[in-house]
Coordinates of all heavy atoms in Angstrom, one line a residue:
M1 N 13.9 5.3 -26.2 CA 14.6 4.2 -25.8 C 13.8 3.4 -24.8 O 13.2 3.9 -23.9 CB 16.0 4.6 -25.3 CG 16.8 3.3 -24.9 SD 18.6 3.7 -24.7 CE 18.8 4.4 -23.1
L2 N 14.0 2.0 -24.9 CA 13.3 1.2 -23.9 C 14.1 1.0 -22.7 O 15.3 1.1 -22.7 CB 13.1 -0.3 -24.6 CG 12.2 -0.6 -25.7 CD1 12.5 -1.8 -26.3 CD2 10.8 -0.3 -25.3
T3 N 13.5 0.8 -21.6 CA 14.0 0.5 -20.3 C 13.5 -0.8 -20.0 O 12.3 -1.1 -19.8 CB 13.8 1.4 -19.2 OG1 14.1 2.8 -19.5 CG2 14.5 1.0 -18.0
V4 N 14.5 -1.9 -19.8 CA 14.1 -3.3 -19.6 C 14.7 -3.7 -18.3 O 16.0 -3.5 -18.1 CB 14.5 -4.2 -20.7 CG1 14.2 -5.6 -20.4 CG2 14.0 -3.8 -22.1
K5 N 14.0 -4.2 -17.4 CA 14.5 -4.6 -16.0 C 14.3 -6.0 -15.9 O 13.3 -6.6 -16.1 CB 13.9 -3.8 -14.9 CG 14.2 -2.4 -14.9 CD 13.5 -1.6 -13.7 CE 13.7 -0.2 -13.7 NZ 13.1 0.5 -12.7
V6 N 15.3 -6.8 -15.5 CA 15.4 -8.0 -15.1 C 15.4 -8.2 -13.5 O 16.3 -7.8 -13.0 CB 16.5 -8.9 -15.7 CG1 16.5 -10.3 -15.3 CG2 16.6 -8.8 -17.3
L7 N 14.4 -8.7 -13.0 CA 14.2 -8.8 -11.6 C 14.6 -10.1 -11.0 O 14.1 -11.2 -11.6 CB 12.8 -8.5 -11.1 CG 12.1 -7.2 -11.7 CD1 10.6 -7.2 -11.2 CD2 12.9 -6.0 -11.4
G8 N 15.4 -10.2 -10.2 CA 15.9 -11.5 -9.6 C 17.2 -11.4 -8.8 O 17.9 -10.5 -8.8
S9 N 17.4 -12.5 -7.9 CA 18.5 -12.5 -7.0 C 19.8 -12.8 -7.6 O 20.8 -12.7 -6.9 CB 18.1 -13.5 -5.9 OG 18.0 -14.7 -6.5
G10 N 19.8 -13.3 -8.8 CA 21.1 -13.8 -9.5 C 21.1 -15.2 -9.6 O 22.1 -15.9 -9.9
C11 N 19.9 -15.9 -9.4 CA 19.8 -17.3 -9.7 C 20.1 -17.7 -11.1 O 20.0 -16.9 -12.0 CB 18.4 -17.7 -9.2 SG 17.1 -17.2 -10.2
P12 N 20.3 -19.0 -11.4 CA 20.6 -19.3 -12.8 C 19.4 -19.0 -13.8 O 19.7 -18.5 -14.8 CB 20.6 -20.9 -12.7 CG 21.2 -21.1 -11.3 CD 20.4 -20.1 -10.5
N13 N 18.1 -19.0 -13.3 CA 17.0 -18.6 -14.1 C 17.1 -17.1 -14.5 O 16.7 -16.7 -15.6 CB 15.8 -19.1 -13.6 CG 15.5 -20.6 -13.8 OD1 16.1 -21.3 -14.6 ND2 14.5 -21.0 -13.0
C14 N 17.4 -16.3 -13.4 CA 17.5 -15.0 -13.6 C 18.7 -14.6 -14.6 O 18.4 -13.7 -15.5 CB 17.9 -14.3 -12.2 SG 16.5 -14.6 -11.0
K15 N 19.7 -15.2 -14.5 CA 20.9 -15.0 -15.5 C 20.5 -15.5 -16.9 O 20.8 -14.8 -17.8 CB 22.1 -15.7 -15.0 CG 22.7 -15.2 -13.7 CD 23.8 -15.9 -13.2 CE 24.4 -15.4 -11.9 NZ 25.4 -16.1 -11.3
K16 N 19.7 -16.5 -16.9 CA 19.3 -17.0 -18.3 C 18.3 -16.0 -18.9 O 18.4 -15.6 -20.1 CB 18.7 -18.4 -18.1 CG 18.0 -18.9 -19.4 CD 18.9 -19.3 -20.3 CE 18.1 -20.1 -21.5 NZ 19.0 -20.4 -22.6
L17 N 17.5 -15.4 -18.1 CA 16.5 -14.4 -18.7 C 17.2 -13.2 -19.2 O 17.0 -12.7 -20.1 CB 15.4 -14.1 -17.6 CG 14.4 -13.0 -18.0 CD1 13.6 -13.3 -19.2 CD2 13.5 -12.6 -16.9
E18 N 18.2 -12.7 -18.3 CA 19.0 -11.7 -18.8 C 19.7 -11.9 -20.1 O 19.7 -11.0 -21.0 CB 20.0 -11.2 -17.6 CG 20.8 -10.0 -18.1 CD 21.9 -9.6 -17.0 OE1 22.1 -10.4 -16.1 OE2 22.4 -8.5 -17.1
A19 N 20.3 -13.0 -20.2 CA 21.0 -13.4 -21.4 C 20.1 -13.5 -22.7 O 20.4 -12.9 -23.8 CB 21.8 -14.8 -21.3
V20 N 18.9 -14.1 -22.5 CA 17.9 -14.1 -23.6 C 17.5 -12.9 -23.9 O 17.3 -12.5 -25.2 CB 16.7 -15.1 -23.1 CG1 15.8 -15.1 -24.3 CG2 17.4 -16.5 -23.0
T21 N 17.2 -11.9 -22.9 CA 16.6 -10.6 -23.3 C 17.8 -9.9 -23.9 O 17.4 -9.0 -25.0 CB 16.3 -9.9 -22.0 OG1 15.3 -10.7 -21.2 CG2 15.7 -8.6 -22.2
R22 N 19.1 -9.9 -23.6 CA 20.1 -9.2 -24.2 C 20.2 -9.6 -25.7 O 20.4 -8.9 -26.7 CB 21.4 -9.3 -23.5 CG 21.5 -8.5 -22.2 CD 22.9 -8.5 -21.6 NE 22.8 -7.8 -20.3 CZ 22.9 -6.6 -20.1 NH1 23.0 -5.8 -21.2 NH2 23.0 -6.0 -18.9
K23 N 20.0 -10.9 -26.0 CA 20.2 -11.5 -27.3 C 19.1 -10.9 -28.2 O 19.2 -10.5 -29.2 CB 20.1 -13.2 -27.2 CG 20.2 -13.7 -28.6 CD 20.1 -15.2 -28.5 CE 20.2 -15.9 -29.9 NZ 19.4 -15.3 -30.9
V24 N 17.8 -10.9 -27.6 CA 16.6 -10.5 -28.4 C 16.8 -9.0 -28.6 O 16.6 -8.6 -29.9 CB 15.3 -10.6 -27.7 CG1 14.1 -10.0 -28.4 CG2 15.0 -12.1 -27.6
V25 N 17.3 -8.1 -27.8 CA 17.5 -6.7 -28.0 C 18.5 -6.6 -29.1 O 18.4 -5.8 -30.1 CB 18.0 -6.0 -26.8 CG1 18.5 -4.6 -27.0 CG2 16.8 -5.9 -25.7
A26 N 19.6 -7.4 -29.1 CA 20.7 -7.2 -30.1 C 20.2 -7.7 -31.5 O 20.4 -7.1 -32.4 CB 21.8 -8.2 -29.7
D27 N 19.4 -8.9 -31.4 CA 18.9 -9.4 -32.8 C 18.0 -8.4 -33.4 O 17.9 -8.4 -34.6 CB 18.2 -10.7 -32.5 CG 19.2 -11.9 -32.2 OD1 20.3 -11.7 -32.3 OD2 18.7 -13.0 -31.8
L28 N 17.2 -7.7 -32.6 CA 16.2 -6.8 -33.2 C 16.8 -5.4 -33.5 O 16.2 -4.5 -34.1 CB 15.0 -6.5 -32.2 CG 14.1 -7.8 -32.0 CD1 13.1 -7.4 -30.9 CD2 13.6 -8.2 -33.2
G29 N 18.1 -5.2 -33.0 CA 18.7 -3.9 -33.1 C 18.1 -2.7 -32.5 O 18.2 -1.7 -32.9
L30 N 17.5 -3.0 -31.3 CA 16.8 -2.0 -30.6 C 17.7 -1.1 -29.7 O 18.8 -1.7 -29.2 CB 15.8 -2.8 -29.6 CG 14.5 -3.4 -30.3 CD1 13.7 -4.2 -29.3 CD2 13.9 -2.5 -31.2
Q31 N 17.4 0.0 -29.4 CA 18.1 0.8 -28.3 C 17.3 0.6 -27.0 O 16.2 0.9 -26.8 CB 17.9 2.3 -28.8 CG 18.6 2.7 -29.9 CD 20.1 2.9 -29.7 OE1 20.6 3.1 -28.5 NE2 20.9 2.7 -30.7
A32 N 18.1 -0.1 -26.2 CA 17.4 -0.5 -24.8 C 18.5 -0.4 -23.7 O 19.5 -0.9 -23.9 CB 16.7 -1.8 -24.9
E33 N 18.0 0.1 -22.6 CA 18.8 0.1 -21.4 C 18.3 -1.2 -20.7 O 17.1 -1.3 -20.2 CB 18.7 1.2 -20.5 CG 19.4 1.1 -19.3 CD 19.1 2.4 -18.4 OE1 18.2 3.2 -18.6 OE2 19.9 2.6 -17.4
I34 N 19.3 -2.1 -20.4 CA 18.9 -3.3 -19.6 C 19.5 -3.2 -18.2 O 20.7 -3.1 -18.0 CB 19.3 -4.7 -20.4 CG1 18.7 -4.7 -21.7 CG2 19.0 -5.9 -19.5 CD1 19.1 -5.9 -22.5
V35 N 18.6 -3.4 -17.2 CA 19.0 -3.1 -15.8 C 18.7 -4.4 -15.1 O 17.6 -5.0 -15.2 CB 18.2 -2.0 -15.2 CG1 18.6 -1.7 -13.8 CG2 18.3 -0.7 -16.0
K36 N 19.7 -4.8 -14.4 CA 19.6 -6.0 -13.5 C 19.1 -5.6 -12.1 O 20.0 -4.8 -11.5 CB 20.9 -6.9 -13.6 CG 20.8 -8.1 -12.7 CD 20.0 -9.1 -13.4 CE 20.3 -10.5 -12.8 NZ 19.2 -10.9 -11.9
V37 N 18.1 -5.9 -11.6 CA 17.5 -5.5 -10.2 C 17.8 -6.7 -9.4 O 16.9 -7.7 -9.4 CB 16.2 -5.0 -10.3 CG1 15.7 -4.6 -8.9 CG2 16.0 -3.8 -11.2
T38 N 18.6 -6.7 -8.4 CA 18.9 -7.8 -7.5 C 18.3 -7.5 -6.1 O 18.3 -8.4 -5.2 CB 20.3 -8.1 -7.5 OG1 21.2 -7.1 -7.2 CG2 20.7 -8.7 -8.7
D39 N 18.2 -6.1 -5.7 CA 17.7 -5.6 -4.4 C 16.3 -6.1 -4.2 O 15.4 -5.8 -4.8 CB 17.9 -4.2 -4.2 CG 17.6 -3.8 -2.9 OD1 18.2 -4.2 -1.9 OD2 16.7 -2.9 -2.7
Y40 N 16.2 -6.9 -3.1 CA 14.8 -7.5 -2.6 C 13.8 -6.4 -2.4 O 12.7 -6.5 -3.0 CB 15.0 -8.4 -1.5 CG 13.7 -9.1 -1.2 CD1 13.4 -10.2 -1.9 CD2 12.9 -8.7 -0.1 CE1 12.2 -10.8 -1.6 CE2 11.7 -9.4 0.2 CZ 11.4 -10.5 -0.5 OH 10.2 -11.1 -0.2
A41 N 14.2 -5.3 -1.8 CA 13.2 -4.2 -1.5 C 12.7 -3.6 -2.9 O 11.6 -3.3 -3.0 CB 13.8 -3.2 -0.6
E42 N 13.7 -3.5 -3.8 CA 13.4 -2.9 -5.2 C 12.5 -3.9 -5.9 O 11.4 -3.4 -6.6 CB 14.6 -2.6 -5.9 CG 14.5 -1.7 -7.1 CD 14.1 -0.3 -6.9 OE1 14.4 0.2 -5.7 OE2 13.5 0.3 -7.7
I43 N 12.7 -5.2 -5.8 CA 11.9 -6.2 -6.6 C 10.6 -6.1 -6.0 O 9.6 -6.2 -6.8 CB 12.6 -7.6 -6.4 CG1 13.9 -7.7 -7.2 CG2 11.7 -8.6 -6.9 CD1 14.7 -8.9 -6.9
M44 N 10.3 -6.0 -4.8 CA 9.0 -6.1 -4.1 C 8.2 -4.8 -4.4 O 7.0 -4.9 -4.3 CB 9.1 -6.2 -2.7 CG 9.9 -7.4 -2.1 SD 9.2 -8.9 -2.9 CE 7.6 -8.9 -2.5
K45 N 8.8 -3.8 -5.1 CA 7.9 -2.7 -5.6 C 7.1 -3.2 -6.9 O 6.2 -2.4 -7.2 CB 8.8 -1.6 -6.1 CG 9.6 -0.9 -4.8 CD 10.4 0.3 -5.3 CE 11.1 0.8 -4.0 NZ 12.1 1.9 -4.4
Y46 N 7.2 -4.3 -7.4 CA 6.6 -4.7 -8.6 C 5.7 -5.9 -8.1 O 6.0 -6.7 -7.3 CB 7.7 -5.2 -9.7 CG 8.5 -4.1 -10.3 CD1 9.7 -3.9 -9.8 CD2 8.0 -3.3 -11.2 CE1 10.5 -2.8 -10.1 CE2 8.7 -2.3 -11.8 CZ 10.0 -2.1 -11.1 OH 10.8 -0.9 -11.6
P47 N 4.6 -6.0 -8.8 CA 3.5 -7.0 -8.4 C 3.9 -8.4 -8.9 O 3.2 -9.0 -9.9 CB 2.2 -6.4 -9.0 CG 2.7 -5.7 -10.2 CD 4.0 -5.2 -9.9
I48 N 5.0 -9.0 -8.5 CA 5.4 -10.3 -8.9 C 5.4 -11.2 -7.6 O 5.8 -10.7 -6.6 CB 6.6 -10.4 -9.7 CG1 7.8 -10.0 -8.9 CG2 6.6 -9.5 -11.0 CD1 9.2 -10.4 -9.6
L49 N 5.2 -12.5 -7.8 CA 5.2 -13.4 -6.6 C 6.5 -14.2 -6.7 O 6.8 -14.8 -5.7 CB 3.9 -14.2 -6.6 CG 2.6 -13.5 -6.4 CD1 1.5 -14.5 -6.5 CD2 2.7 -12.8 -5.1
S50 N 7.0 -14.3 -7.9 CA 8.3 -15.2 -8.0 C 9.2 -14.6 -9.1 O 8.7 -13.9 -10.1 CB 8.0 -16.6 -8.4 OG 7.2 -16.7 -9.5
T51 N 10.5 -14.9 -9.0 CA 11.4 -14.4 -10.0 C 11.8 -15.5 -10.9 O 11.5 -16.7 -10.5 CB 12.6 -13.8 -9.2 OG1 13.3 -14.9 -8.4 CG2 12.4 -12.7 -8.4
P52 N 12.3 -15.3 -12.1 CA 12.7 -14.0 -12.6 C 11.5 -13.2 -13.1 O 10.5 -13.8 -13.4 CB 13.7 -14.4 -13.7 CG 13.2 -15.7 -14.2 CD 12.7 -16.4 -12.9
G53 N 11.7 -11.9 -13.0 CA 10.6 -11.0 -13.6 C 11.3 -10.2 -14.7 O 12.4 -9.9 -14.7
L54 N 10.3 -9.7 -15.6 CA 10.7 -8.9 -16.7 C 9.8 -7.8 -16.8 O 8.6 -7.9 -16.8 CB 10.7 -9.7 -18.1 CG 11.3 -9.0 -19.2 CD1 12.8 -8.8 -19.0 CD2 11.3 -9.8 -20.5
V55 N 10.5 -6.6 -16.8 CA 9.7 -5.3 -16.8 C 10.2 -4.5 -18.0 O 11.4 -4.2 -18.1 CB 9.9 -4.5 -15.5 CG1 9.2 -3.3 -15.5 CG2 9.6 -5.3 -14.2
V56 N 9.2 -4.1 -18.8 CA 9.4 -3.3 -20.0 C 8.9 -1.9 -19.8 O 7.6 -1.9 -19.7 CB 9.0 -3.8 -21.3 CG1 9.3 -2.9 -22.4 CG2 9.7 -5.3 -21.5
N57 N 9.7 -0.8 -19.7 CA 9.0 0.5 -19.5 C 8.1 0.6 -18.2 O 7.0 1.1 -18.4 CB 8.4 1.0 -20.7 CG 9.4 1.3 -21.8 OD1 10.6 1.6 -21.5 ND2 8.9 1.4 -23.0
E58 N 8.5 -0.2 -17.2 CA 7.8 -0.1 -16.0 C 6.5 -0.9 -15.9 O 5.7 -0.9 -15.1 CB 7.6 1.3 -15.4 CG 8.9 2.0 -15.0 CD 9.7 1.3 -13.9 OE1 9.1 0.9 -12.9 OE2 10.9 1.3 -14.3
Q59 N 6.4 -1.7 -17.0 CA 5.3 -2.6 -17.0 C 5.8 -4.1 -17.0 O 6.5 -4.5 -17.6 CB 4.6 -2.5 -18.4 CG 3.2 -3.3 -18.7 CD 2.1 -2.9 -17.9 OE1 1.9 -1.7 -17.6 NE2 1.3 -3.8 -17.5
V60 N 5.1 -4.8 -15.9 CA 5.6 -6.2 -15.7 C 5.0 -7.0 -16.8 O 3.8 -7.0 -17.1 CB 5.1 -6.7 -14.3 CG1 5.5 -8.2 -14.2 CG2 5.7 -5.9 -13.3
V61 N 5.8 -7.7 -17.6 CA 5.3 -8.6 -18.6 C 5.5 -10.0 -18.4 O 4.8 -10.9 -19.0 CB 6.1 -8.2 -20.0 CG1 5.7 -6.7 -20.4 CG2 7.5 -8.3 -20.0
S62 N 6.3 -10.4 -17.5 CA 6.6 -11.8 -17.2 C 7.1 -11.9 -15.8 O 7.9 -11.2 -15.2 CB 7.6 -12.3 -18.1 OG 7.9 -13.8 -17.8
A63 N 6.7 -13.1 -15.1 CA 7.2 -13.4 -13.8 C 7.1 -14.8 -13.5 O 6.3 -15.4 -13.9 CB 6.4 -12.6 -12.6
G64 N 8.2 -15.3 -12.9 CA 8.3 -16.7 -12.4 C 8.7 -17.8 -13.6 O 8.5 -18.9 -13.4
R65 N 9.1 -17.2 -14.7 CA 9.4 -18.2 -15.8 C 10.4 -17.5 -16.7 O 10.5 -16.3 -16.7 CB 8.2 -18.7 -16.5 CG 7.4 -17.6 -17.3 CD 6.2 -18.0 -18.0 NE 5.4 -17.0 -18.7 CZ 5.7 -16.8 -19.9 NH1 6.5 -17.7 -20.6 NH2 5.1 -15.9 -20.6
I66 N 10.9 -18.3 -17.6 CA 11.8 -17.8 -18.6 C 11.0 -17.8 -20.0 O 10.8 -18.9 -20.6 CB 13.1 -18.5 -18.8 CG1 13.8 -18.5 -17.5 CG2 13.9 -17.9 -20.1 CD1 15.0 -19.4 -17.5
P67 N 10.5 -16.6 -20.5 CA 9.7 -16.5 -21.6 C 10.5 -16.8 -22.9 O 11.7 -16.7 -22.8 CB 9.1 -15.2 -21.8 CG 10.0 -14.4 -20.8 CD 10.6 -15.3 -19.8
S68 N 9.9 -17.3 -24.0 CA 10.6 -17.5 -25.2 C 11.2 -16.3 -25.9 O 10.7 -15.1 -25.5 CB 9.7 -18.3 -26.2 OG 8.8 -17.3 -26.7
E69 N 12.1 -16.4 -26.8 CA 12.6 -15.3 -27.5 C 11.4 -14.5 -28.2 O 11.5 -13.3 -28.3 CB 13.7 -15.7 -28.4 CG 15.1 -16.1 -27.8 CD 16.1 -16.5 -28.7 OE1 16.2 -16.0 -29.7 OE2 17.1 -17.2 -28.2
A70 N 10.6 -15.2 -28.8 CA 9.5 -14.7 -29.6 C 8.6 -13.8 -28.6 O 8.1 -12.7 -29.0 CB 8.6 -15.8 -30.2
E71 N 8.3 -14.4 -27.5 CA 7.5 -13.7 -26.6 C 8.2 -12.3 -26.1 O 7.6 -11.2 -26.2 CB 7.3 -14.4 -25.3 CG 6.3 -15.5 -25.4 CD 6.1 -16.3 -24.0 OE1 7.0 -16.9 -23.6 OE2 5.0 -16.1 -23.4
I72 N 9.4 -12.4 -25.8 CA 10.3 -11.2 -25.4 C 10.2 -10.2 -26.6 O 10.1 -9.1 -26.4 CB 11.6 -11.6 -25.0 CG1 11.6 -12.4 -23.7 CG2 12.5 -10.3 -24.7 CD1 12.9 -13.0 -23.2
A73 N 10.5 -10.6 -27.8 CA 10.5 -9.8 -28.9 C 9.2 -9.0 -29.1 O 9.1 -7.9 -29.5 CB 10.8 -10.7 -30.3
G74 N 8.1 -9.7 -28.9 CA 6.8 -9.2 -29.0 C 6.5 -8.1 -28.0 O 6.0 -7.0 -28.4
W75 N 7.0 -8.2 -26.8 CA 6.9 -7.2 -25.8 C 7.7 -6.0 -26.1 O 7.4 -4.9 -25.8 CB 7.2 -7.7 -24.4 CG 6.2 -8.9 -23.9 CD1 4.9 -8.9 -24.1 CD2 6.6 -10.0 -23.2 NE1 4.4 -10.1 -23.5 CE2 5.5 -10.8 -22.9 CE3 7.9 -10.6 -22.7 CZ2 5.5 -12.0 -22.2 CZ3 7.8 -11.8 -22.0 CH2 6.7 -12.4 -21.8
L76 N 8.9 -6.3 -26.6 CA 10.0 -5.1 -26.8 C 9.4 -4.3 -28.1 O 9.7 -3.1 -28.1 CB 11.2 -5.6 -27.0 CG 11.9 -6.4 -25.8 CD1 13.2 -6.8 -26.2 CD2 12.0 -5.5 -24.6
K77 N 8.8 -4.9 -29.0 CA 8.3 -4.2 -30.2 C 7.1 -3.4 -30.0 O 6.9 -2.4 -30.7 CB 8.0 -5.2 -31.4 CG 9.2 -5.8 -31.9 CD 9.0 -6.6 -33.3 CE 9.3 -7.9 -33.1 NZ 8.9 -8.7 -34.4
N78 N 6.4 -3.6 -29.0 CA 5.2 -2.9 -28.7 C 5.4 -1.6 -28.0 O 6.3 -1.3 -27.4 CB 4.2 -3.6 -27.9 CG 3.6 -4.8 -28.7 OD1 3.4 -4.7 -29.9 ND2 3.2 -5.8 -28.0

C-alpha cells in the first residue's frame, strides 16, 4: 500500500493538492494512505523549500506547486 503525504500548513494550495491527490487515488482505484502533515517541524524533515509538498513512500516528488492530475498519477503508479 502506498503512503502519500501532503505537506503544508493548511493554506488553500495545500488543501487543493490534497483534494487533487485524493481524486487521483480514487480514480486509479489505488490502496493508499493519505496523510496531511501540518506540523512545521515535521515538514522541515523533508528537503523542500516551499509548500505544498507531496511525498510518496517517503520520496519527495513535488514542492511549491500543485502538480497536474497526470503528474500525480504517474508518481503513484511507479
Side-chain angles (χ1 to χ4, degrees):
M1 180 164 77
L2 291 169
T3 300
V4 181
K5 294 182 181 178
V6 178
L7 310 177
S9 62
C11 66
N13 283 343
C14 300
K15 291 176 183 174
K16 172 76 172 167
L17 177 58
E18 181 181 8
V20 171
T21 301
R22 287 186 185 279
K23 180 182 183 307
V24 171
V25 167
D27 289 350
L28 295 175
L30 297 174
Q31 291 284 334
E33 176 186 15
I34 299 175
V35 180
K36 181 77 168 98
V37 180
T38 57
D39 181 58
Y40 186 73
E42 193 68 25
I43 292 169
M44 295 315 300
K45 292 180 181 177
Y46 296 93
I48 68 169
L49 298 176
S50 60
T51 58
L54 188 64
V55 179
V56 178
N57 290 336
E58 293 304 313
Q59 179 74 32
V60 176
V61 294
S62 175
R65 66 188 184 93
I66 301 172
S68 69
E69 289 183 23
E71 284 179 295
I72 295 171
W75 295 324
L76 296 179
K77 286 192 244 178
N78 289 334

